[in-house]
Amino acid sequence: MSDCLFCKIVARTIPATLVYEDELVVAFDDINPQAPTHTLVIPRKHVTSIAELQDGDVTLLGRLLLAGNKVARQKGIADSGYRFVVNTGADGGQSVFHLHLHILGGRHMGWPPG
Ligand code: AMP
Ligand code: ZN
């Protein structure tokens, strides 16, 4: 999608601090970090939200999560713990409509989230 911010990051037409990439996903640091580690993992293909995923996307979804684990190891938060977040739709707090997994860590996370 030509007007999608995260598609532009995948296409390298806008800059991002890349952390990990493979043939299915790209990970980059969040521009407005909410924790000492705050990285996003996104599918290369445009998917609006997790709600749009189909049965055929099960590998993509699994690889998104596994990439999140790789990011956590790479960032040194695998042992201290971390949180995956996927905001979905208006009440879920989604602001960028290209599926993304937040990886947050480096501090204690409160519960419940706001
Ligand atoms: P969400 O509110 O779950 O849709 O999360 C969108 C996230 O994208 C927010 O945490 C933003 O800080 C982040 N974000 C927006 N623009 C950029 C960008 N150009 N590079 C990196 N992260 C971004
Ligand atoms: Zn997109």
Side-chain angles (χ1 to χ4, degrees), residues 10-110:
V10 171
R12 306 281 214 276
T13 55
I14 67 166
T17 303
L18 292 189
V19 171
Y20 171 83
E21 65 179 323
D22 61 31
E23 78 280 15
L24 290 181
V25 305
V26 175
F28 53 92
D29 287 334
D30 198 290
I31 203 168
N32 182 24
Q34 301 301 310
T37 291
H38 188 175
T39 299
L40 305 174
V41 185
I42 68 171
R44 284 188 184 275
K45 81 166 180 174
H46 182 86
V47 177
T48 302
S49 80
I50 201 165
E52 305 301 312
L53 289 179
Q54 308 290 318
D55 286 351
D57 292 316
V58 66
T59 297
L60 177 62
L61 182 55
R63 292 279 294 276
L64 198 76
L65 294 171
L66 290 172
N69 281 344
K70 286 180 179 146
V71 167
R73 286 197 293 273
Q74 196 174 315
K75 293 282 189 177
I77 58 169
D79 292 338
S80 51
Y82 49 97
R83 181 172 290 175
F84 287 171
V85 174
V86 181
N87 296 324
T88 305
D91 278 359
Q94 186 175 5
S95 64
V96 176
F97 289 87
H98 179 131
L99 170 61
H100 49 282
L101 173 70
H102 296 256
I103 297 106
L104 295 142
R107 66 166 171 82
H108 183 76
M109 299 292 152

